PDB file of all heavy atoms in Angstrom:
ATOM      1  N   ARG A  95     -12.620   6.732  -7.369  1.00  0.00           N
ATOM      2  CA  ARG A  95     -11.574   7.024  -8.333  1.00  0.00           C
ATOM      3  C   ARG A  95     -11.912   6.376  -9.678  1.00  0.00           C
ATOM      4  O   ARG A  95     -12.503   5.291  -9.739  1.00  0.00           O
ATOM      5  CB  ARG A  95     -10.222   6.472  -7.874  1.00  0.00           C
ATOM      6  CG  ARG A  95      -9.724   6.968  -6.530  1.00  0.00           C
ATOM      7  CD  ARG A  95      -9.144   8.356  -6.629  1.00  0.00           C
ATOM      8  NE  ARG A  95      -8.382   8.700  -5.427  1.00  0.00           N
ATOM      9  CZ  ARG A  95      -8.011   9.932  -5.107  1.00  0.00           C
ATOM     10  NH1 ARG A  95      -8.313  10.940  -5.898  1.00  0.00           N
ATOM     11  NH2 ARG A  95      -7.323  10.165  -4.005  1.00  0.00           N
ATOM     12  N   GLY A  96     -11.462   7.016 -10.753  1.00  0.00           N
ATOM     13  CA  GLY A  96     -11.646   6.458 -12.075  1.00  0.00           C
ATOM     14  C   GLY A  96     -10.649   5.354 -12.358  1.00  0.00           C
ATOM     15  O   GLY A  96      -9.463   5.484 -12.092  1.00  0.00           O
ATOM     16  N   MET A  97     -11.133   4.228 -12.910  1.00  0.00           N
ATOM     17  CA  MET A  97     -10.282   3.112 -13.303  1.00  0.00           C
ATOM     18  C   MET A  97     -10.666   2.748 -14.733  1.00  0.00           C
ATOM     19  O   MET A  97     -11.802   2.381 -14.993  1.00  0.00           O
ATOM     20  CB  MET A  97     -10.485   1.923 -12.362  1.00  0.00           C
ATOM     21  CG  MET A  97      -9.509   0.766 -12.548  1.00  0.00           C
ATOM     22  SD  MET A  97      -9.785  -0.256 -14.000  1.00  0.00           S
ATOM     23  CE  MET A  97     -11.387  -0.941 -13.610  1.00  0.00           C
ATOM     24  N   GLY A  98      -9.711   2.863 -15.670  1.00  0.00           N
ATOM     25  CA  GLY A  98     -10.072   2.649 -17.059  1.00  0.00           C
ATOM     26  C   GLY A  98      -9.135   1.759 -17.828  1.00  0.00           C
ATOM     27  O   GLY A  98      -8.931   1.966 -19.029  1.00  0.00           O
ATOM     28  N   GLN A  99      -8.528   0.779 -17.184  1.00  0.00           N
ATOM     29  CA  GLN A  99      -7.587  -0.092 -17.886  1.00  0.00           C
ATOM     30  C   GLN A  99      -8.300  -0.773 -19.058  1.00  0.00           C
ATOM     31  O   GLN A  99      -9.335  -1.412 -18.897  1.00  0.00           O
ATOM     32  CB  GLN A  99      -7.016  -1.137 -16.930  1.00  0.00           C
ATOM     33  CG  GLN A  99      -5.892  -1.965 -17.514  1.00  0.00           C
ATOM     34  CD  GLN A  99      -6.354  -3.086 -18.417  1.00  0.00           C
ATOM     35  OE1 GLN A  99      -7.444  -3.602 -18.252  1.00  0.00           O
ATOM     36  NE2 GLN A  99      -5.529  -3.445 -19.379  1.00  0.00           N
ATOM     37  N   GLY A 100      -7.717  -0.604 -20.247  1.00  0.00           N
ATOM     38  CA  GLY A 100      -8.304  -1.224 -21.422  1.00  0.00           C
ATOM     39  C   GLY A 100      -9.489  -0.466 -21.991  1.00  0.00           C
ATOM     40  O   GLY A 100     -10.142  -0.947 -22.918  1.00  0.00           O
ATOM     41  N   MET A 101      -9.802   0.699 -21.447  1.00  0.00           N
ATOM     42  CA  MET A 101     -10.896   1.523 -21.968  1.00  0.00           C
ATOM     43  C   MET A 101     -10.315   2.849 -22.433  1.00  0.00           C
ATOM     44  O   MET A 101      -9.148   3.120 -22.249  1.00  0.00           O
ATOM     45  CB  MET A 101     -11.952   1.751 -20.883  1.00  0.00           C
ATOM     46  CG  MET A 101     -12.636   0.482 -20.402  1.00  0.00           C
ATOM     47  SD  MET A 101     -13.708   0.747 -18.965  1.00  0.00           S
ATOM     48  CE  MET A 101     -12.788  -0.133 -17.697  1.00  0.00           C
ATOM     49  N   THR A 102     -11.142   3.678 -23.013  1.00  0.00           N
ATOM     50  CA  THR A 102     -10.686   4.995 -23.426  1.00  0.00           C
ATOM     51  C   THR A 102     -11.838   5.966 -23.394  1.00  0.00           C
ATOM     52  O   THR A 102     -12.986   5.588 -23.637  1.00  0.00           O
ATOM     53  CB  THR A 102     -10.066   4.977 -24.836  1.00  0.00           C
ATOM     54  OG1 THR A 102      -9.641   6.308 -25.181  1.00  0.00           O
ATOM     55  CG2 THR A 102     -11.052   4.511 -25.873  1.00  0.00           C
ATOM     56  N   LEU A 103     -11.535   7.200 -23.092  1.00  0.00           N
ATOM     57  CA  LEU A 103     -12.579   8.221 -23.034  1.00  0.00           C
ATOM     58  C   LEU A 103     -13.143   8.534 -24.410  1.00  0.00           C
ATOM     59  O   LEU A 103     -14.351   8.678 -24.592  1.00  0.00           O
ATOM     60  CB  LEU A 103     -12.004   9.512 -22.430  1.00  0.00           C
ATOM     61  CG  LEU A 103     -12.878  10.742 -22.614  1.00  0.00           C
ATOM     62  CD1 LEU A 103     -14.107  10.649 -21.752  1.00  0.00           C
ATOM     63  CD2 LEU A 103     -12.121  12.009 -22.312  1.00  0.00           C
ATOM     64  N   ALA A 104     -12.293   8.646 -25.406  1.00  0.00           N
ATOM     65  CA  ALA A 104     -12.695   9.219 -26.685  1.00  0.00           C
ATOM     66  C   ALA A 104     -13.444   8.212 -27.548  1.00  0.00           C
ATOM     67  O   ALA A 104     -12.956   7.121 -27.827  1.00  0.00           O
ATOM     68  CB  ALA A 104     -11.468   9.729 -27.432  1.00  0.00           C
ATOM     69  N   ILE A 105     -14.651   8.584 -27.978  1.00  0.00           N
ATOM     70  CA  ILE A 105     -15.334   7.843 -29.026  1.00  0.00           C
ATOM     71  C   ILE A 105     -14.599   8.142 -30.328  1.00  0.00           C
ATOM     72  O   ILE A 105     -14.470   9.288 -30.742  1.00  0.00           O
ATOM     73  CB  ILE A 105     -16.815   8.260 -29.110  1.00  0.00           C
ATOM     74  CG1 ILE A 105     -17.572   7.738 -27.866  1.00  0.00           C
ATOM     75  CG2 ILE A 105     -17.468   7.739 -30.381  1.00  0.00           C
ATOM     76  CD1 ILE A 105     -18.995   8.212 -27.763  1.00  0.00           C
ATOM     77  N   GLN A 106     -14.076   7.089 -30.945  1.00  0.00           N
ATOM     78  CA  GLN A 106     -13.203   7.270 -32.102  1.00  0.00           C
ATOM     79  C   GLN A 106     -13.960   7.447 -33.412  1.00  0.00           C
ATOM     80  O   GLN A 106     -13.403   7.895 -34.403  1.00  0.00           O
ATOM     81  CB  GLN A 106     -12.256   6.079 -32.213  1.00  0.00           C
ATOM     82  CG  GLN A 106     -11.311   5.948 -31.040  1.00  0.00           C
ATOM     83  CD  GLN A 106     -10.366   7.128 -30.904  1.00  0.00           C
ATOM     84  OE1 GLN A 106      -9.770   7.571 -31.878  1.00  0.00           O
ATOM     85  NE2 GLN A 106     -10.227   7.641 -29.702  1.00  0.00           N
ATOM     86  N   GLY A 107     -15.244   7.064 -33.424  1.00  0.00           N
ATOM     87  CA  GLY A 107     -16.018   7.202 -34.654  1.00  0.00           C
ATOM     88  C   GLY A 107     -17.319   6.450 -34.547  1.00  0.00           C
ATOM     89  O   GLY A 107     -17.728   5.997 -33.464  1.00  0.00           O
ATOM     90  N   PHE A 108     -17.990   6.307 -35.688  1.00  0.00           N
ATOM     91  CA  PHE A 108     -19.292   5.641 -35.748  1.00  0.00           C
ATOM     92  C   PHE A 108     -19.288   4.676 -36.924  1.00  0.00           C
ATOM     93  O   PHE A 108     -18.659   4.927 -37.957  1.00  0.00           O
ATOM     94  CB  PHE A 108     -20.408   6.670 -35.940  1.00  0.00           C
ATOM     95  CG  PHE A 108     -20.542   7.642 -34.797  1.00  0.00           C
ATOM     96  CD1 PHE A 108     -19.726   8.761 -34.724  1.00  0.00           C
ATOM     97  CD2 PHE A 108     -21.452   7.433 -33.789  1.00  0.00           C
ATOM     98  CE1 PHE A 108     -19.829   9.660 -33.686  1.00  0.00           C
ATOM     99  CE2 PHE A 108     -21.570   8.325 -32.728  1.00  0.00           C
ATOM    100  CZ  PHE A 108     -20.753   9.439 -32.673  1.00  0.00           C
ATOM    101  N   ASN A 109     -19.988   3.565 -36.757  1.00  0.00           N
ATOM    102  CA  ASN A 109     -20.191   2.672 -37.885  1.00  0.00           C
ATOM    103  C   ASN A 109     -21.496   1.924 -37.683  1.00  0.00           C
ATOM    104  O   ASN A 109     -22.184   2.094 -36.689  1.00  0.00           O
ATOM    105  CB  ASN A 109     -19.009   1.709 -38.077  1.00  0.00           C
ATOM    106  CG  ASN A 109     -18.802   0.809 -36.874  1.00  0.00           C
ATOM    107  OD1 ASN A 109     -19.635   0.719 -35.983  1.00  0.00           O
ATOM    108  ND2 ASN A 109     -17.662   0.138 -36.845  1.00  0.00           N
ATOM    109  N   GLY A 110     -21.826   1.096 -38.613  1.00  0.00           N
ATOM    110  CA  GLY A 110     -23.096   0.388 -38.574  1.00  0.00           C
ATOM    111  C   GLY A 110     -23.613   0.268 -39.984  1.00  0.00           C
ATOM    112  O   GLY A 110     -22.857   0.249 -40.945  1.00  0.00           O
ATOM    113  N   GLY A 111     -24.875   0.217 -40.117  1.00  0.00           N
ATOM    114  CA  GLY A 111     -25.466   0.068 -41.439  1.00  0.00           C
ATOM    115  C   GLY A 111     -26.883  -0.433 -41.302  1.00  0.00           C
ATOM    116  O   GLY A 111     -27.405  -0.579 -40.195  1.00  0.00           O
ATOM    117  N   THR A 112     -27.497  -0.726 -42.407  1.00  0.00           N
ATOM    118  CA  THR A 112     -28.893  -1.146 -42.356  1.00  0.00           C
ATOM    119  C   THR A 112     -29.072  -2.454 -41.603  1.00  0.00           C
ATOM    120  O   THR A 112     -30.162  -2.759 -41.144  1.00  0.00           O
ATOM    121  CB  THR A 112     -29.436  -1.300 -43.784  1.00  0.00           C
ATOM    122  OG1 THR A 112     -28.601  -2.226 -44.502  1.00  0.00           O
ATOM    123  CG2 THR A 112     -29.440   0.039 -44.507  1.00  0.00           C
ATOM    124  N   SER A 113     -28.003  -3.242 -41.477  1.00  0.00           N
ATOM    125  CA  SER A 113     -28.126  -4.530 -40.774  1.00  0.00           C
ATOM    126  C   SER A 113     -27.553  -4.487 -39.365  1.00  0.00           C
ATOM    127  O   SER A 113     -27.500  -5.510 -38.698  1.00  0.00           O
ATOM    128  CB  SER A 113     -27.421  -5.629 -41.575  1.00  0.00           C
ATOM    129  OG  SER A 113     -26.043  -5.332 -41.673  1.00  0.00           O
ATOM    130  N   THR A 114     -27.106  -3.319 -38.920  1.00  0.00           N
ATOM    131  CA  THR A 114     -26.504  -3.241 -37.594  1.00  0.00           C
ATOM    132  C   THR A 114     -27.096  -2.059 -36.837  1.00  0.00           C
ATOM    133  O   THR A 114     -26.683  -0.922 -37.044  1.00  0.00           O
ATOM    134  CB  THR A 114     -24.972  -3.090 -37.678  1.00  0.00           C
ATOM    135  OG1 THR A 114     -24.445  -4.169 -38.437  1.00  0.00           O
ATOM    136  CG2 THR A 114     -24.359  -3.105 -36.288  1.00  0.00           C
ATOM    137  N   HIS A 115     -28.055  -2.343 -35.984  1.00  0.00           N
ATOM    138  CA  HIS A 115     -28.633  -1.308 -35.136  1.00  0.00           C
ATOM    139  C   HIS A 115     -28.360  -1.583 -33.666  1.00  0.00           C
ATOM    140  O   HIS A 115     -28.678  -0.759 -32.821  1.00  0.00           O
ATOM    141  CB  HIS A 115     -30.140  -1.207 -35.361  1.00  0.00           C
ATOM    142  CG  HIS A 115     -30.490  -0.765 -36.744  1.00  0.00           C
ATOM    143  ND1 HIS A 115     -30.414   0.540 -37.156  1.00  0.00           N
ATOM    144  CD2 HIS A 115     -30.895  -1.478 -37.829  1.00  0.00           C
ATOM    145  CE1 HIS A 115     -30.773   0.630 -38.430  1.00  0.00           C
ATOM    146  NE2 HIS A 115     -31.054  -0.576 -38.856  1.00  0.00           N
ATOM    147  N   SER A 116     -27.763  -2.735 -33.395  1.00  0.00           N
ATOM    148  CA  SER A 116     -27.510  -3.104 -32.008  1.00  0.00           C
ATOM    149  C   SER A 116     -26.229  -3.917 -31.941  1.00  0.00           C
ATOM    150  O   SER A 116     -26.032  -4.850 -32.730  1.00  0.00           O
ATOM    151  CB  SER A 116     -28.688  -3.921 -31.460  1.00  0.00           C
ATOM    152  OG  SER A 116     -28.567  -4.093 -30.071  1.00  0.00           O
ATOM    153  N   ARG A 117     -25.352  -3.548 -31.001  1.00  0.00           N
ATOM    154  CA  ARG A 117     -24.067  -4.229 -30.873  1.00  0.00           C
ATOM    155  C   ARG A 117     -23.795  -4.492 -29.393  1.00  0.00           C
ATOM    156  O   ARG A 117     -23.877  -3.581 -28.565  1.00  0.00           O
ATOM    157  CB  ARG A 117     -22.940  -3.385 -31.463  1.00  0.00           C
ATOM    158  CG  ARG A 117     -21.565  -4.030 -31.363  1.00  0.00           C
ATOM    159  CD  ARG A 117     -20.453  -3.116 -31.842  1.00  0.00           C
ATOM    160  NE  ARG A 117     -20.544  -2.887 -33.274  1.00  0.00           N
ATOM    161  CZ  ARG A 117     -20.790  -1.709 -33.824  1.00  0.00           C
ATOM    162  NH1 ARG A 117     -20.953  -0.648 -33.061  1.00  0.00           N
ATOM    163  NH2 ARG A 117     -20.866  -1.574 -35.121  1.00  0.00           N
ATOM    164  N   THR A 118     -23.462  -5.734 -29.075  1.00  0.00           N
ATOM    165  CA  THR A 118     -23.083  -6.109 -27.713  1.00  0.00           C
ATOM    166  C   THR A 118     -21.631  -6.570 -27.733  1.00  0.00           C
ATOM    167  O   THR A 118     -21.268  -7.474 -28.494  1.00  0.00           O
ATOM    168  CB  THR A 118     -23.975  -7.231 -27.160  1.00  0.00           C
ATOM    169  OG1 THR A 118     -25.331  -6.780 -27.157  1.00  0.00           O
ATOM    170  CG2 THR A 118     -23.569  -7.590 -25.736  1.00  0.00           C
ATOM    171  N   CYS A 119     -20.799  -5.947 -26.904  1.00  0.00           N
ATOM    172  CA  CYS A 119     -19.369  -6.257 -26.882  1.00  0.00           C
ATOM    173  C   CYS A 119     -18.982  -6.833 -25.536  1.00  0.00           C
ATOM    174  O   CYS A 119     -19.402  -6.328 -24.490  1.00  0.00           O
ATOM    175  CB  CYS A 119     -18.546  -4.999 -27.138  1.00  0.00           C
ATOM    176  SG  CYS A 119     -18.949  -4.159 -28.673  1.00  0.00           S
ATOM    177  N   ARG A 120     -18.193  -7.893 -25.577  1.00  0.00           N
ATOM    178  CA  ARG A 120     -17.581  -8.441 -24.359  1.00  0.00           C
ATOM    179  C   ARG A 120     -16.115  -8.033 -24.366  1.00  0.00           C
ATOM    180  O   ARG A 120     -15.364  -8.377 -25.285  1.00  0.00           O
ATOM    181  CB  ARG A 120     -17.689  -9.962 -24.328  1.00  0.00           C
ATOM    182  CG  ARG A 120     -17.128 -10.582 -23.044  1.00  0.00           C
ATOM    183  CD  ARG A 120     -16.811 -12.053 -23.229  1.00  0.00           C
ATOM    184  NE  ARG A 120     -16.608 -12.744 -21.955  1.00  0.00           N
ATOM    185  CZ  ARG A 120     -16.022 -13.939 -21.830  1.00  0.00           C
ATOM    186  NH1 ARG A 120     -15.576 -14.575 -22.916  1.00  0.00           N
ATOM    187  NH2 ARG A 120     -15.867 -14.499 -20.647  1.00  0.00           N
ATOM    188  N   THR A 121     -15.691  -7.295 -23.355  1.00  0.00           N
ATOM    189  CA  THR A 121     -14.310  -6.831 -23.270  1.00  0.00           C
ATOM    190  C   THR A 121     -13.720  -7.209 -21.925  1.00  0.00           C
ATOM    191  O   THR A 121     -14.421  -7.225 -20.911  1.00  0.00           O
ATOM    192  CB  THR A 121     -14.233  -5.304 -23.456  1.00  0.00           C
ATOM    193  OG1 THR A 121     -15.120  -4.653 -22.535  1.00  0.00           O
ATOM    194  CG2 THR A 121     -14.620  -4.918 -24.867  1.00  0.00           C
ATOM    195  N   ARG A 122     -12.444  -7.519 -21.930  1.00  0.00           N
ATOM    196  CA  ARG A 122     -11.756  -7.962 -20.714  1.00  0.00           C
ATOM    197  C   ARG A 122     -10.952  -6.820 -20.113  1.00  0.00           C
ATOM    198  O   ARG A 122     -10.260  -6.087 -20.823  1.00  0.00           O
ATOM    199  CB  ARG A 122     -10.812  -9.124 -21.039  1.00  0.00           C
ATOM    200  CG  ARG A 122     -10.193  -9.782 -19.808  1.00  0.00           C
ATOM    201  CD  ARG A 122      -9.034 -10.673 -20.198  1.00  0.00           C
ATOM    202  NE  ARG A 122      -7.888  -9.894 -20.646  1.00  0.00           N
ATOM    203  CZ  ARG A 122      -6.685 -10.415 -20.922  1.00  0.00           C
ATOM    204  NH1 ARG A 122      -6.500 -11.706 -20.830  1.00  0.00           N
ATOM    205  NH2 ARG A 122      -5.694  -9.646 -21.317  1.00  0.00           N
ATOM    206  N   HIS A 123     -11.010  -6.687 -18.791  1.00  0.00           N
ATOM    207  CA  HIS A 123     -10.317  -5.614 -18.082  1.00  0.00           C
ATOM    208  C   HIS A 123      -9.762  -6.151 -16.760  1.00  0.00           C
ATOM    209  O   HIS A 123     -10.048  -7.274 -16.367  1.00  0.00           O
ATOM    210  CB  HIS A 123     -11.273  -4.448 -17.803  1.00  0.00           C
ATOM    211  CG  HIS A 123     -12.038  -4.009 -19.009  1.00  0.00           C
ATOM    212  ND1 HIS A 123     -11.540  -3.121 -19.927  1.00  0.00           N
ATOM    213  CD2 HIS A 123     -13.267  -4.367 -19.467  1.00  0.00           C
ATOM    214  CE1 HIS A 123     -12.428  -2.939 -20.883  1.00  0.00           C
ATOM    215  NE2 HIS A 123     -13.480  -3.685 -20.638  1.00  0.00           N
ATOM    216  N   HIS A 124      -8.984  -5.321 -16.093  1.00  0.00           N
ATOM    217  CA  HIS A 124      -8.568  -5.639 -14.732  1.00  0.00           C
ATOM    218  C   HIS A 124      -8.263  -4.341 -14.006  1.00  0.00           C
ATOM    219  O   HIS A 124      -8.071  -3.290 -14.619  1.00  0.00           O
ATOM    220  CB  HIS A 124      -7.355  -6.582 -14.693  1.00  0.00           C
ATOM    221  CG  HIS A 124      -6.113  -5.995 -15.289  1.00  0.00           C
ATOM    222  ND1 HIS A 124      -5.721  -6.223 -16.587  1.00  0.00           N
ATOM    223  CD2 HIS A 124      -5.165  -5.178 -14.768  1.00  0.00           C
ATOM    224  CE1 HIS A 124      -4.592  -5.582 -16.838  1.00  0.00           C
ATOM    225  NE2 HIS A 124      -4.223  -4.927 -15.746  1.00  0.00           N
ATOM    226  N   SER A 125      -8.233  -4.412 -12.703  1.00  0.00           N
ATOM    227  CA  SER A 125      -7.918  -3.259 -11.870  1.00  0.00           C
ATOM    228  C   SER A 125      -6.606  -3.519 -11.149  1.00  0.00           C
ATOM    229  O   SER A 125      -6.240  -4.670 -10.889  1.00  0.00           O
ATOM    230  CB  SER A 125      -9.039  -3.027 -10.847  1.00  0.00           C
ATOM    231  OG  SER A 125      -8.657  -2.052  -9.906  1.00  0.00           O
ATOM    232  N   LYS A 126      -5.894  -2.454 -10.813  1.00  0.00           N
ATOM    233  CA  LYS A 126      -4.663  -2.600 -10.035  1.00  0.00           C
ATOM    234  C   LYS A 126      -4.943  -2.560  -8.540  1.00  0.00           C
ATOM    235  O   LYS A 126      -4.022  -2.766  -7.744  1.00  0.00           O
ATOM    236  CB  LYS A 126      -3.667  -1.503 -10.396  1.00  0.00           C
ATOM    237  CG  LYS A 126      -3.337  -1.411 -11.874  1.00  0.00           C
ATOM    238  CD  LYS A 126      -2.973  -2.742 -12.496  1.00  0.00           C
ATOM    239  CE  LYS A 126      -1.714  -3.359 -11.954  1.00  0.00           C
ATOM    240  NZ  LYS A 126      -1.338  -4.597 -12.703  1.00  0.00           N
ATOM    241  N   VAL A 127      -6.180  -2.284  -8.155  1.00  0.00           N
ATOM    242  CA  VAL A 127      -6.531  -2.216  -6.737  1.00  0.00           C
ATOM    243  C   VAL A 127      -7.818  -2.990  -6.501  1.00  0.00           C
ATOM    244  O   VAL A 127      -8.598  -3.255  -7.415  1.00  0.00           O
ATOM    245  CB  VAL A 127      -6.701  -0.752  -6.257  1.00  0.00           C
ATOM    246  CG1 VAL A 127      -5.386   0.008  -6.340  1.00  0.00           C
ATOM    247  CG2 VAL A 127      -7.783  -0.028  -7.056  1.00  0.00           C
ATOM    248  N   ARG A 128      -8.046  -3.321  -5.259  1.00  0.00           N
ATOM    249  CA  ARG A 128      -9.223  -4.083  -4.852  1.00  0.00           C
ATOM    250  C   ARG A 128     -10.451  -3.171  -4.819  1.00  0.00           C
ATOM    251  O   ARG A 128     -10.385  -2.038  -4.376  1.00  0.00           O
ATOM    252  CB  ARG A 128      -8.934  -4.644  -3.453  1.00  0.00           C
ATOM    253  CG  ARG A 128      -9.877  -5.664  -2.903  1.00  0.00           C
ATOM    254  CD  ARG A 128      -9.299  -6.167  -1.585  1.00  0.00           C
ATOM    255  NE  ARG A 128      -9.982  -7.323  -1.055  1.00  0.00           N
ATOM    256  CZ  ARG A 128     -10.648  -7.346   0.090  1.00  0.00           C
ATOM    257  NH1 ARG A 128     -10.702  -6.246   0.844  1.00  0.00           N
ATOM    258  NH2 ARG A 128     -11.241  -8.440   0.507  1.00  0.00           N
ATOM    259  N   PHE A 129     -11.593  -3.679  -5.301  1.00  0.00           N
ATOM    260  CA  PHE A 129     -12.819  -2.894  -5.185  1.00  0.00           C
ATOM    261  C   PHE A 129     -14.037  -3.799  -5.143  1.00  0.00           C
ATOM    262  O   PHE A 129     -14.020  -4.938  -5.603  1.00  0.00           O
ATOM    263  CB  PHE A 129     -12.931  -1.882  -6.332  1.00  0.00           C
ATOM    264  CG  PHE A 129     -13.222  -2.471  -7.690  1.00  0.00           C
ATOM    265  CD1 PHE A 129     -14.530  -2.597  -8.138  1.00  0.00           C
ATOM    266  CD2 PHE A 129     -12.199  -2.879  -8.536  1.00  0.00           C
ATOM    267  CE1 PHE A 129     -14.810  -3.127  -9.393  1.00  0.00           C
ATOM    268  CE2 PHE A 129     -12.471  -3.412  -9.786  1.00  0.00           C
ATOM    269  CZ  PHE A 129     -13.786  -3.540 -10.217  1.00  0.00           C
ATOM    270  N   ARG A 130     -15.109  -3.247  -4.617  1.00  0.00           N
ATOM    271  CA  ARG A 130     -16.386  -3.961  -4.501  1.00  0.00           C
ATOM    272  C   ARG A 130     -17.543  -3.098  -5.015  1.00  0.00           C
ATOM    273  O   ARG A 130     -18.442  -3.606  -5.674  1.00  0.00           O
ATOM    274  CB  ARG A 130     -16.627  -4.354  -3.039  1.00  0.00           C
ATOM    275  CG  ARG A 130     -18.018  -4.888  -2.748  1.00  0.00           C
ATOM    276  CD  ARG A 130     -18.137  -5.406  -1.334  1.00  0.00           C
ATOM    277  NE  ARG A 130     -19.516  -5.714  -0.985  1.00  0.00           N
ATOM    278  CZ  ARG A 130     -19.890  -6.483   0.022  1.00  0.00           C
ATOM    279  NH1 ARG A 130     -18.962  -7.036   0.815  1.00  0.00           N
ATOM    280  NH2 ARG A 130     -21.166  -6.710   0.261  1.00  0.00           N
TER     281      ARG A 130
END
Side-chain angles (χ1 to χ4, degrees):
R95 302 282 194 195
M97 188 286 296
Q99 188 280 332
M101 297 172 249
T102 180
L103 166 71
I105 290 174
Q106 296 297 314
F108 297 83
N109 61 12
T112 56
S113 62
T114 304
H115 296 282
S116 190
R117 180 185 292 115
T118 300
C119 304
R120 183 200 195 196
T121 53
R122 188 194 70 173
H123 310 275
H124 64 264
S125 171
K126 305 311 296 186
V127 295
R128 191 174 190 244
F129 71 92
R130 170 173 171 162

